[in-house]
Each structure stands twice: as C-alpha cells, then as structure tokens.
Amino acid sequence: MFLRTITTPVTDLKGVGPATAKAFAVLDIRTVADLLLHAPRSYEDRSTPVSFAEGLSGRTVNTECTVIAHDWFGFGRKRTLKVWAEDQSGRAALNCFGRNFLEQKLPEGRRVRLYGQFSYRFGEIQASVFDFTPIDDPGDTIPEDFTGLLPVYPATADLSQKAIRSALHQALNRFSSAIEDELPPSCSGGEPQQKAQLLNSLHFPSSMDEALEARRKLAWEELFFLQLGITRRGLAQRNTSRKRRPSAGKLAAAVIDNLPFSLTPDQEGVLEDIRQDLSSSRAMARLIQGDVGSGKTLTAFLAACETIEAGEQAAFMAPTELLARQHAENAAKLLEPAGIRLALFTGSVTGDARRLLLEELKSGHIDLIIGTHALFSEEVEFRQLGLAIIDEQQRFGVLQRLALTGKGDQPDMLVMTATPIPRTLAMTVFGDLAVSRIHTMPPGRKPVITHLAAMGKEEKVYHWLEKEVEAGRQAYCVYPLIQESSKLDLKDAEGMYEALRKRFPGCSIGLIHSRLREEQKIETMHDFSAGAIQILVSTSVVEVGVDVPNATCMVVEHAERFGLSALHQLRGRVGRGRYQSYMFLVYSPDLADEGKQRLKVMKEHSDGFLVAEEDLKIRGPGNISGVEQTGFLKLRFADLVRDTDIMLTARDKAAAILAEDPGLLQPENSLLRRVIQRTAAYEED
C-alpha cells in the first residue's frame, strides 16, 4: 500500500486512548499515515558527552553524574526541591519546579545519565528543564532515549514527545513492510526509492547525515509529485482550444493616445504578453505581479480593450466595494471617451437598478462590468464573457475564480497581485499560470523614505506629519485595532481618532474601518481623495487600492503587529504623486527578534519583490499570499526557502516526463499513474 492510503486510526496503536487521540487531532494527526508524515522539527544528540562546564558555552549538557545533595528553597506551597549533582567537570543544581517527587527518584549517591540546557545564574550552574535515567550499576542498559539521536516533533501541551515517539515506533514496526515505493528508479537516480527505509531514517536515524539525506529524498519526492500535478493541470488548460475573434488593437491604441503619460517599458512588455495570449487558440491564464503603484490596473484595462474590440465582454473583479468603485471611476475617465460602455455591480446595487443592469449585461449592452464577489452570483449572466480580470487575486479562492470564469465559454483569465510572490512560491501556488512582472514605476515617482520610531517618540512623528499637512499634503494614521481591547494593550483607531482631533485642532480628520457602513466608508474616502480630509485615521482597510496622489505621510503605530506584506501595501498608499513621501513605523520597545527583522527589512528595502523574499526567509512559506503550508500545499518534508534547488530539478523532471508521455501511459510511468490515482497528496483547490 502507498503511505497516504493507510487509513488505520491512531487509536489502534497501544497507548493512544481518547485523550491522546484528541491531542493528536489538534495536529491534524488522525490516521497512521498522518502520523508517519509528521516530520521531526529537530533532533537532540544524546550520544555525544557534554559536561556541565561545556554546557556553559550554549551546548546542551549530556553527562553521567552523581547526586551529591538535596536542598530546598521557597516556603509553603512554593517550597521547591533543588538537587545537586556532580560530574567530572564540577557541580550543578537541578531546580525541580513542580517536581518535588524527584526527591525519591534522585536520592543522594545515585548515578544518572542527565540531559538538559544549563546556564550560569545566581552564582551557580543550574537547569530547570532536564531529563535523566538511572545508571546505578555499570552493567545497566541505557534506554535508547539516551544513546543516540532523539527526534523532536511539533507537539502540543497535551501531547508529550514520549507519546509521539512511542506511537511512531509502533507504526513503523507494524506498517513498514507493507509501505510501497512511490517513485520509479528513473525518478530517483536509477535506484528504487525505498519509502519505508526513508521513513525509518527520518524518524529514528543513527546519525544526522542519515536524517538529512532521508529528509532530502522525501522532499524531492514530495516536490516532484507537486510539480507533476501542477504541470499536468497546466497542460490540460493549454490543450483546451477556443475560437478567437481577432483584434486590431485600435481601441487600446485610442486609450493610450489619450493618456497624459507614456506606458513604462514593463507595461508595454506585459501588454505584448497578453496580446500573444489573446491571439492564441488556448484560453489565457496569466498572473501579473506588480509593485504597488506600478500600473497593473491600466494594463488590465488595455487588455479589456482588446477583448471588447473583438466583440466580447470583460469582467473586472475587486475584493472590496471601495476598491471596485475606485476602479470604476478610473475606468470611466480612461475608457468611456473611447466609447466603452461601463457598469459597476456590487451588493449595494439593488431593486430596479440591479434588474436593469443585469438585463443590459445579458443583452451585451455592457462591455466592461466592474464589481465585487457579487459577480459570482447565479443571476449574473453575460452575452459573451471573453475576459475575466481578478484584482488582488490572493483574496479570492480558486473556486471563486472558477465561478467567474464559468460564466463564459472558456474565457481568458488575467489575475493581478500587488503582493509580490517569491519565485519558489509562485512555482507552486501559481505554477499553472504564466507570470508577468511589472518592475518599473511610472516616471516621476520618488521612493518613499521609511523611518523607525520607538513608542514614546510619537510626538516627533506627529510634528513631521503636522509640517506635511501645513504644506498642503495629506496623511494616513493606521492602527491594528478598531476599538480599545481589554486583552491587548494597543492603540485603536476609534480612540486615536479622538486623540488626534485634540492634537491637531486645526485639521480636518476622518475615520474609516471595516465596521462602518459601506456608504460611510465611500463618503469618507471621497472626502479624503478630494482633499476635504487632511488626516485619515484607519485600520489596514486602506491597505489595498486607495489612490490619493496628494497623500505623502503614512504613520503606522504598533507596526510590529503587521506583517511585511501589509506594511509594504500600506507604504504603497503614499508616494503616488510628485511629492516626496514618508512612512513612519512606530514600534513597541520590547520588540521580538522577528519583529526587529521585519522592520529592518522595511527600512532597508523599497522593492516589493525583495521585501517578499525577505518575508519568506523570516516567516517561511506558511501564510504568505494566503497559502497555508499545512493547508493548501500540505508540504510535510520540503521547505520552499531551503529547497529551491530541489524544487527546480523536480519541476524539470516532471516537465520532461510529461513532454514524452502526457497521459503517463507508458509502462515505465505506470507507478506514477497509480500513485496519482490512489493518493490525494494535494487537493486541487
């Protein structure tokens, strides 16, 4: 049987009762297959001796020692046992918090094998967390836990490492002989990839080299099947043909001629990519990545011109009504002079207006419809949908995208993101999409200068903001919370709106957040865009799409509470005009190391693609671009930061196999075909 087809519940293993099973379930471990796929996060080396003295250099102590004395500190219920032990390098103290019962297990004179992290505190070498086993007699057998490499797993408070190891020992002993290999020799260097042996080497290796080699081979297998699936899906899309109506490009040319500026070289290049896709007999599936303010939306509008000129309709979907309305206003300025018929469709369009709009769309009297997720609804019908454009694609699921493209006969699909996606992640999540990038910014844009300020120095930031406002510019002040929280000691937008009104009595200050009525949000943003509001107090609701060229100052308080992607998006709300712009990141003084790294990246890098790569290094691939590593990808052994080289070779191998045998029908590929048919390593959505 293949590993992922083992459906035996973990409760079949000795010692896994209802409580332990419940703890395993928190880690999404319900079957023996899930358990065997639960890879160690690290290993403890319990084979190499490390004395008390050597442990002071940061190494974990692993020594044989003798208990020489007992001591006590504290009073009453907090009275705590202290055990003194001695090895060849000297003495150390074991502080037994909550473990006073060790007085009986560690009597004076007992020899033990001891493992733990020690440090020098209060004039003595000591540890509070340690593990031990008695070795009173020279002939005593030392347990395996103290003789080699010990795997350390992701766990929970209710699930001990010992319980995980015990269950894994049983699972491997019981199922190893039945686990089939999943890669043919041609995919694994000419030799069979012995899956059962690799699992044994991963969970209970005899050396670190053995563990690392097992993980590398399992990562190769995992990434190979991922790339095989992505490549097959891309082939299926490319092999689907549709009739084309030619476009001469006159409509797009008319729009370009009326622009007060020229397209950037990157915009021209991406537009040429799109034109080639549209002239093909296969439906376009293209992702445009572009930094905030790089001109992706204009490029998408020009793509819509090509489709409309060919006699078809285009749909443009945005994640919020605020953003959809802004796109519609920009489209009206750019496209209506060229004769393109536009409409805005959101959940707030109701009654007769909604009915009439839907009739016009179905009859083909609307060329381009711009809307929110309301475009998914069953009542929305097109005469002939030729192009579906999806903005901020990471905010929509695959099934939602399919719901829109399903409203036409194999329409072209253009998806956009201002959240730069690292190359390795793009190869997995969007491997079935052609990718175009817009790097160059429109002429005249100046890089935003980013400053860091610790809490307590906000007055300096406010003084700078005040100078910008006095010069006729506008500013954003962003906070992590809408309202004051009894659990979190953080500033909130509503509270700071009132505080800033007092701090800047001569300024017009507005407030916007997600709980306000849609009409109120639209009115506030309109006033800010028109200059009637000088300082806009907000949550991250302004992160995407807001375009106010006169805004030059972005203040984010509690910046450590925001991810790098959100911070970069917020920075993109300023610097959109000809004026020099600034971002101030106000952070808590007791900043964790990861928070320091993020803010340092923001200060040193303005390129969104570099920011995304650094984010991937800091956080790993787990939640970047809305992709959960344990959800969408279900990667158990591979790491998209560490294993880029494996990813590339796996992709090349998968592409080579499918180029020769797209259906995996040849005898040498029969094993691959069986694995795909019988296992579900990665769900399609």
Side-chain angles (χ1 to χ4, degrees), residues 502-522:
K502 295 176 182 177
R503 171 61 180 79
F504 302 101
C507 290
S508 172
I509 300 179
L511 172 67
I512 187 170
H513 55 70
S514 60
R515 292 182 192 166
L516 296 176
R517 296 192 321 275
E518 199 64 39
E519 300 80 12
Q520 194 172 350
K521 286 191 282 186
I522 291 168

Side-chain angles (χ1 to χ4, degrees), residues 105-157:
K105 293 182 176 292
L106 292 171
E108 292 183 22
R110 169 153 288 177
R111 291 280 295 169
V112 296
R113 183 74 171 267
L114 185 67
Y115 185 89
Q117 195 75 44
F118 283 72
S119 61
Y120 190 80
R121 299 183 65 197
F122 308 115
E124 61 193 30
I125 301 173
Q126 59 173 254
S128 299
V129 180
F130 53 87
D131 197 5
F132 69 92
T133 186
I135 48 170
D136 286 328
D137 298 323
D140 281 353
T141 301
I142 299 176
E144 288 184 6
D145 284 3
F146 286 86
T147 58
L149 287 181
L150 202 62
V152 180
Y153 296 90
T156 69

Side-chain angles (χ1 to χ4, degrees), residues 557-591:
E557 300 208 44
H558 298 292
E560 73 278 0
R561 306 288 297 191
F562 295 80
L564 265 177
S565 174
L567 290 175
H568 184 66
Q569 288 279 6
L570 288 169
R571 181 163 57 186
R573 298 310 105 216
V574 294
R576 304 178 78 87
R578 66 180 188 273
Y579 308 108
Q580 179 62 59
S581 294
Y582 308 89
M583 184 180 203
F584 296 92
L585 300 175
V586 183
Y587 61 90
S588 171
D590 55 345
L591 202 57

Side-chain angles (χ1 to χ4, degrees), residues 444-450 464 468 473 550-553 574-575 577-583:
R445 293 280 178 89
K446 298 177 181 178
V448 177
I449 297 173
T450 302
W464 192 290
E468 287 293 300
R473 309 285 82 80
N550 192 48
T552 59
C553 197
V574 294
R578 66 180 188 273
Y579 308 108
Q580 179 62 59
S581 294
Y582 308 89
M583 184 180 203

Side-chain angles (χ1 to χ4, degrees), residues 159-296:
L159 189 64
S160 69
Q161 294 291 329
K162 189 173 183 179
I164 298 174
R165 293 179 197 126
S166 173
L168 273 161
H169 268 299
Q170 292 183 65
L172 287 168
N173 289 337
R174 182 170 165 185
F175 291 95
S176 282
S177 60
I179 295 175
E180 297 180 59
D181 299 337
E182 297 178 20
L183 283 181
S186 59
C187 294
S188 54
E191 297 181 1
Q193 180 106 325
Q194 298 176 319
K195 188 69 170 274
Q197 181 55 52
L198 290 179
L199 291 171
N200 274 289
S201 296
L202 178 79
H203 290 294
F204 300 107
S206 59
S207 68
M208 275 305 300
D209 286 344
E210 181 184 343
L212 292 173
E213 180 65 9
R215 191 208 62 82
R216 189 191 67 79
K217 288 184 175 180
L218 288 166
W220 157 262
E221 177 183 284
E222 184 169 50
L223 293 174
F224 170 77
F225 277 109
L226 176 62
Q227 290 298 320
L228 195 69
I230 288 170
T231 307
R232 290 178 80 219
R233 189 167 60 189
L235 285 173
Q237 290 176 342
R238 289 191 290 274
N239 290 335
T240 302
S241 61
R242 52 164 284 186
K243 292 182 180 179
R244 288 290 173 186
R245 291 186 180 184
S247 166
K250 293 181 179 179
L251 193 55
V255 173
I256 293 171
D257 288 343
N258 283 330
L259 294 174
F261 51 82
S262 300
L263 297 182
T264 65
D266 280 1
Q267 284 176 306
E268 291 177 345
V270 172
L271 190 56
E272 183 56 35
D273 290 341
I274 291 170
R275 284 173 172 151
Q276 290 182 10
D277 288 346
L278 295 178
S279 65
S280 167
S281 61
R282 293 186 291 267
M284 175 173 70
R286 183 168 292 278
L287 167 70
I288 299 180
Q289 290 191 74
D291 216 339
V292 285
S294 62
K296 299 180 302 299

Side-chain angles (χ1 to χ4, degrees), residues 318-380:
T320 66
E321 181 162 345
L322 196 65
L323 187 52
R325 192 172 292 272
Q326 182 170 297
H327 283 321
E329 291 171 357
N330 290 334
K333 297 174 188 174
L334 294 169
L335 306 182
E336 282 186 343
I340 293 175
R341 299 165 295 183
L342 302 170
L344 173 67
F345 185 70
T346 68
S348 61
V349 179
T350 58
D352 289 342
R354 188 182 186 93
R355 179 183 53 77
L356 180 60
L357 188 152
L358 292 173
E359 288 175 359
E360 293 288 285
L361 183 65
K362 186 176 180 179
S363 64
H365 295 147
I366 294 173
D367 299 316
L368 171 62
I369 189 163
I370 298 173
T372 58
H373 59 277
L375 291 172
F376 298 139
S377 57
E378 291 184 12
E379 61 185 330
V380 176

